[in-house]
């Protein structure tokens, strides 16, 4: 499992991927930013990390694959992948919106990406983890209730 809350950027256009990676690195400090322009390379990277959490910034259309194919492929190791994803697209068609809704993706941005919109979307995802972790460390009763301390697992 990764030490920080990393961001995985996947866009089949290497130039766009580099720009997106640079944009995220300009404000994101909670983990590393990993950029990929190849679907299989990104999927392999995620599989090698094992069960974890990360934020995913995915282009909707990745050549012969889609962002939704990627989410479905990595869900075995990243059960929260859909909720932790920002999908980007040239045009938010009804089909793309419906796929986001069906999988549980809550963040969809159209290109060209506005830096503040990207920052807010990523901050929204990171915030849920950054608020939750300290609560586990500070509230022993709460941590026990969710089964993280003392091996207690309660429904």
């Amino acid at each position: 499992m990764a030490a920080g809350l990393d961001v995985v950027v996947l866009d089949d256009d290497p130039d766009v991927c580099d720009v997106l990676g640079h944009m995220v690195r300009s404000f994101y400090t909670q983990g590393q930013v990993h950029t990929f322009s190849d679907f299989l390379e990104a999927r392999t990277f995620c599989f090698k990390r094992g069960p974890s959490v990360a934020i995913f910034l995915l282009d909707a259309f990745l050549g012969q694959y889609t962002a939704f194919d990627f989410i479905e492929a990595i869900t075995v190791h990243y059960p929260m992948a859909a909720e932790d994803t920002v999908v980007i697209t040239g045009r938010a068609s009804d089909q793309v919106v419906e796929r986001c809704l069906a999988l549980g993706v809550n963040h969809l941005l159209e290109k060209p990406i506005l830096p503040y919109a990207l920052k807010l979307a990523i901050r929204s995802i990171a915030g849920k983890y950054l608020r939750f972790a300290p609560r586990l460390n500070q509230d022993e009763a709460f941590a026990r209730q969710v089964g993280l301390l003392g091996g207690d697992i309660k429904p």
Side-chain angles (χ1 to χ4, degrees):
M1 190 154 160
L5 182 58
D6 291 352
V7 176
V8 175
V9 178
L10 174 58
D11 192 303
D12 61 335
D13 182 329
D15 293 331
V16 173
C17 189
D18 288 342
V19 168
L20 291 171
H22 179 71
M23 286 174 71
V24 175
R25 285 183 190 98
S26 73
F27 66 81
Y28 190 73
T29 61
Q30 302 304 319
Q32 295 181 338
V33 178
H34 306 276
T35 58
F36 300 93
S37 56
D38 180 82
F39 179 95
L40 298 175
E41 184 182 349
R43 186 184 69 183
T44 300
F45 170 81
C46 290
F47 284 177
K48 285 183 178 179
R49 289 170 48 124
S52 190
V53 294
I55 298 171
F56 301 95
L57 177 58
L58 308 175
D59 188 11
F61 299 103
L62 302 162
Q64 64 183 356
Y65 300 103
T66 68
F68 312 107
D69 297 327
F70 185 79
I71 293 167
E72 290 172 348
I74 65 166
T75 297
V76 65
H77 292 296
Y78 295 83
M80 302 295 292
E83 293 178 28
D84 297 342
T85 294
V86 178
V87 172
I88 58 174
T89 185
R91 181 178 162 272
S93 68
D94 289 343
Q95 178 187 10
V96 171
V97 172
E98 290 301 320
R99 289 293 308 267
C100 286
L101 293 172
L103 279 178
V105 174
N106 296 315
H107 303 280
L108 175 63
L109 300 175
E110 285 186 318
K111 295 176 185 175
I113 303 299
L114 299 172
Y116 75 85
L118 179 60
K119 189 174 193 176
L120 289 172
I122 289 179
R123 183 175 181 220
S124 172
I125 296 167
K128 73 180 177 183
Y129 292 107
L130 298 175
R131 287 186 302 274
F132 187 68
R135 184 169 177 202
L136 290 175
N137 289 329
Q138 296 168 358
D139 188 341
E140 186 176 323
F142 176 69
R144 246 191 239 107
Q145 188 175 11
V146 294
L148 295 176
L149 289 179
D152 296 337
I153 299 177
K154 302 191 181 199

